[in-house]
Amino acid sequence: MPLFSFEGASPRVHPDAWIAPTATLIGDVTVEKDASIWYGVVIRADFGPIIIREGANVQDNSVIHANSELTDVGKNVTVGHQCLVHDCTIGEQALIGNGSTVLDRAVIGARSLVAAGSTVTPGTEVPAEMLAMGSPAKKFVPLTDSARMWVEYNAAVYQDLARRHRDGSAPV
C-alpha cells in the first residue's frame, strides 16, 4: 500500500486496520482499529489532519481531503464507492451513499444517510438519524426502515469483508 509522508507528517495505521494495496495515504492520516480503506482510495492530509475512526470503511475510488480543519470520519461510518469527502465531519455510523459529495465544514449527524449521488454543500448540517437527498442536499427526512437497516449493518458487513480480503486476496 502506498503510504507517503508530507512535510514530516506520516500516515498512522492501526495493525488491525486493512488498507487495500492500491489505496494511497498521504500526510497526517490516522486509520484506527478495524477500519478499512478500499481499492483506489486516496486520502490526502496535506493541509489538515484526517482521522478514519474505528470500524469505518472508505470504499473503492473515494477521495478524502482536508482543507485546513480536521476531517473526521466517525466510528463505524461507511463512505460508499466514488465519494468525495472534503474538510468535514461525519458522525458515528453514518452512511455516505455511492457517488456523493460532502463539502467543507458540513456536519453529517450520527446514524444519518446521505443518499447516493447527493451533494452536501459547505456548512450544511444534517441532523442525526436523517436521510439527506438531492444535489444540493436540501431535503432531510427521517430514515425509512430499509435505510435504517443499511445504516445499522453496513459497517459490520465491511469489517467482515475486509478480514476476508486481508486473508484471502493475493496478486496473480
Side-chain angles (χ1 to χ4, degrees):
M1 85 193 93
L3 301 178
F4 296 93
S5 67
F6 179 76
E7 296 181 346
S10 295
R12 293 166 305 285
V13 177
H14 191 282
D16 291 332
W18 181 75
I19 312 296
T22 59
T24 303
L25 282 61
I26 304 149
D28 191 5
V29 176
T30 301
V31 180
E32 294 183 349
K33 180 181 181 182
D34 294 329
S36 58
I37 311 300
W38 291 80
Y39 302 93
V41 168
V42 174
I43 301 177
R44 181 165 55 93
D46 47 9
F47 288 129
I50 298 171
I51 299 176
I52 310 300
R53 302 272 179 204
E54 183 176 341
N57 65 92
V58 181
Q59 296 176 11
D60 310 71
N61 297 315
S62 288
V63 173
I64 300 179
H65 185 242
N67 194 16
S68 60
E69 303 294 322
L70 168 67
T71 298
D72 192 339
V73 176
K75 183 177 180 183
N76 293 318
V77 160
T78 293
V79 175
H81 307 285
Q82 295 185 333
C83 291
L84 171 62
V85 173
H86 195 270
D87 208 37
C88 59
T89 300
I90 302 175
E92 183 172 332
Q93 205 170 355
L95 192 154
I96 309 304
N98 295 342
S100 293
T101 299
V102 183
L103 294 172
D104 304 52
R105 299 172 318 286
V107 177
I108 308 301
R111 294 170 305 286
S112 289
L113 190 151
V114 174
S118 295
T119 299
V120 180
T121 55
T124 299
E125 293 190 25
V126 176
E129 299 188 20
M130 297 294 277
L131 171 61
M133 320 175 239
S135 189
K138 291 187 175 183
K139 184 174 182 181
F140 304 151
V141 298
L143 292 175
T144 63
D145 288 342
S146 64
R148 186 175 306 282
M149 183 188 73
W150 282 102
V151 167
E152 289 178 359
Y153 297 108
N154 201 68
V157 168
Y158 267 81
Q159 289 165 18
D160 179 62
L161 188 57
R163 285 187 284 276
R164 291 173 53 208
H165 274 261
R166 181 190 62 224
D167 298 340
S169 66
V172 293

